[in-house]
Amino acid sequence: MSVPTANLKTLHLSGRQPSMPPLALLFGALLVIGCGESVDPPGPVVSDTAKTVEDTQDTAQAAAPDTAGVGQVRWRQHIPAHGKKLRAMARQPGKKGSYAIAGDSASVVLFVDGKFTDVSPENLGGANLSGVHVDDKGRVVVAGEKSALAILEDGTWSVAGEVPPAPAVQFLDVSGFGAKYWAVGVAAQAWKHEDETWVPQAVTVTGDTEWIGVGAQFVAVAVHKDEVWIACDPGVTSPGLALRKTAKGWTSYPLKTSPRDIWIAPDKVDGGVFVAGGTASEYVARFDGKAFVADKNLKWKQGFHAVRGLTAAQVWAAGLKGQLRQTAGAAWDVVAIEAPPGTPNPFPPPTDDLVGIGVHAPDALAVITNYRMYSYGTQ
C-alpha cells in the first residue's frame, strides 16, 4: 500500500525573526551560548597499542583564560550550554573546524570558530534527533523520532509534515550528496528527499527479502553520486547487512556483526566503503569491490559507533570507552584525546563512548560523547 508523500511547511528558528542572513553568514558570525574547554596537546598523541583509561570524572574546568600554546594544533574540550544529550555530528564542508551537532529535545547547535550557536527548530515536538547532515551549500538536514525530518537553509527550517500519517517513523540517520538526501530508520524505513518532498523508498533485494523484513533496522546511510549504502541490522536472521543501491537495483552484502555506521570515501579507491560496529569486540570492515573484509589490526575489545575520513587511505573510527583510531598504513593507531601532563587546566580524557565524528583534515577533526565535544585543530 502506497504511503502519501509529505508536504513541507516552513518554521522559523525559535526566538528569531523570519528574515535571517544566509547560513553561510550564520556560520561566519555566531553568538556564543556556552563552551567549557581546556588546554590540549600540541599534536595528536598516537600509539600502536590500545591503552586503558581509568573512569575519572571531569572536575577540571578552566578557571582562567587559556593562553598556553596559542597557534598550536591541539585538542580542546567543549560543552554545549543547552545540556541536552548529543547523538550525531557532521562537518560543514569547506569550513575547516565547523560542525553541526544534533541531539535530544530537537536540539541543533552549530560550532564555528570555537563557539556554539543554538539553531534548534521550534516545532519538532521535542523529538530526539539521531542524524544530521550538512551539504556543500551549507544546508543542515536533521532526522529523528516522531517522523522528524527538517532542513535548515538561509536561516529558515523547512519541516516535513506527517511522514507518514501513521505510525510515526523513528529515523536513525540522514545523509546526502548535493541536494539529494536520504533518511533511514527502524522498521526498514527509507525516505528520499526530492522536489521539496520526502518520498518513501522500497528496499527490495532479490532473493533476500526474508532478511529485510519490517523488523529490520536501517541504522545508517551514506550517499555518493548515484550510489546509496544502508547499514542494516536485520535482527535474528543475520548478524548484519550492507545494502547497496545502484541503477541496477539493490544488492546485499553480509557483515560479521551488527553495524552502527557506514561511510563512503570520496575517492572510492578499491571500493572505498567502510562499516563500523560491534559491542564486545571491535569491528571495522572495508568493501573491496566484492565483499566487506573485517580489519584484523584494530587490537581492541570494544565496538565502534562511527567511521569517517578523507580518503580510502585516511580513515578514523570512534567508539566505546573514548576509543579513537586512525589508519596508519595497514595498522590502526590509537589517538589519545587528552592534554599532555603538565599543561595548565588539563581535561581528563573521555571515557564515555564516542558517538560521532567529523573530519576536515588530519589537523582538523572533532568527536562527541553524549554531552561533550572534543575538537582537534589550531587554537
Side-chain angles (χ1 to χ4, degrees):
M1 180 172 60
S2 62
V3 181
T5 59
N7 296 323
L8 296 179
K9 56 184 178 182
T10 299
L11 298 175
H12 299 290
L13 299 180
S14 177
R16 299 178 184 269
Q17 297 299 317
S19 57
M20 293 186 64
L23 184 59
L25 296 180
L26 183 63
F27 269 102
L30 299 177
L31 177 65
V32 179
I33 66 170
C35 177
E37 52 191 69
S38 305
V39 173
D40 316 294
V45 183
V46 299
S47 64
D48 58 1
T49 58
K51 71 178 214 174
T52 300
V53 182
E54 293 183 356
D55 186 12
T56 58
Q57 295 194 3
D58 184 4
T59 58
Q61 298 295 326
D66 177 11
T67 58
V70 173
Q72 293 182 348
V73 179
R74 56 200 177 114
W75 285 101
R76 299 292 290 262
Q77 175 186 255
H78 315 271
I79 305 175
H82 60 49
K84 307 292 178 57
K85 186 176 182 179
L86 311 178
R87 292 179 177 268
M89 76 178 305
R91 70 184 183 95
Q92 161 74 359
K95 294 187 178 295
K96 192 174 182 179
S98 299
Y99 308 92
I101 303 174
D104 281 4
S105 302
S107 61
V108 182
V109 294
L110 305 180
F111 182 84
V112 179
D113 296 330
K115 303 174 183 179
F116 289 108
T117 282
D118 193 338
V119 295
S120 303
E122 61 182 7
N123 285 334
L124 284 182
N128 296 330
L129 304 177
S130 299
V132 62
H133 169 75
V134 185
D135 69 15
D136 54 5
K137 300 296 184 181
R139 291 179 289 253
V140 180
V141 189
V142 295
E145 64 181 9
K146 302 178 182 179
S147 300
L149 291 172
I151 301 173
L152 176 63
E153 182 176 11
D154 296 333
T156 300
W157 285 99
S158 296
V159 181
E162 296 179 350
V163 185
V169 177
Q170 181 180 349
F171 289 108
L172 299 177
D173 195 24
V174 63
S175 181
F177 186 86
K180 179 176 66 176
Y181 314 124
W182 279 70
V184 298
V186 301
Q189 290 284 338
W191 291 68
K192 179 182 177 182
H193 183 265
E194 55 186 7
D195 298 329
E196 303 303 319
T197 303
W198 289 95
V199 181
Q201 304 295 303
V203 180
T204 302
V205 180
T206 303
D208 288 340
T209 54
E210 71 278 10
W211 284 9
I212 311 173
V214 294
Q217 294 191 38
F218 292 168
V219 298
V221 61
V223 184
H224 181 78
K225 295 183 178 179
D226 295 327
E227 285 192 26
V228 178
W229 286 82
I230 295 175
C232 173
D233 183 351
V236 297
T237 58
S238 174
L241 292 172
L243 309 175
R244 179 190 191 186
K245 182 183 184 300
T246 65
K248 297 180 180 180
W250 289 94
T251 306
S252 68
Y253 300 91
L255 304 173
K256 292 185 177 180
T257 190
S258 298
R260 294 174 182 263
D261 197 16
I262 191 166
W263 174 73
I264 305 174
D267 57 354
K268 292 201 68 184
V269 173
D270 296 329
V273 181
F274 292 80
V275 169
T279 51
S281 62
E282 74 282 357
Y283 184 73
V284 175
R286 173 176 174 162
F287 184 64
D288 64 3
K290 296 181 180 179
F292 278 87
V293 180
D295 197 306
K296 298 180 180 180
N297 297 314
L298 290 165
K299 300 178 182 179
W300 176 243
K301 298 304 179 183
Q302 301 286 342
F304 290 93
H305 280 285
V307 59
R308 290 293 186 273
L310 300 172
T311 67
Q314 293 178 296
V315 184
W316 287 256
L320 278 65
K321 306 300 182 183
Q323 187 75 186
L324 179 63
R325 293 299 188 95
Q326 175 186 354
T327 51
W332 288 78
D333 279 343
V334 177
V335 181
I337 306 173
E338 59 183 342
T343 57
N345 305 318
F347 60 85
T351 56
D352 294 330
D353 297 348
L354 303 181
V355 297
I357 182 170
V359 181
H360 285 279
D363 62 349
L365 59 98
V367 295
I368 57 170
T369 65
N370 283 145
Y371 293 97
R372 302 170 190 269
M373 171 179 167
Y374 299 87
S375 67
Y376 181 71
T378 302
Q379 311 293 338

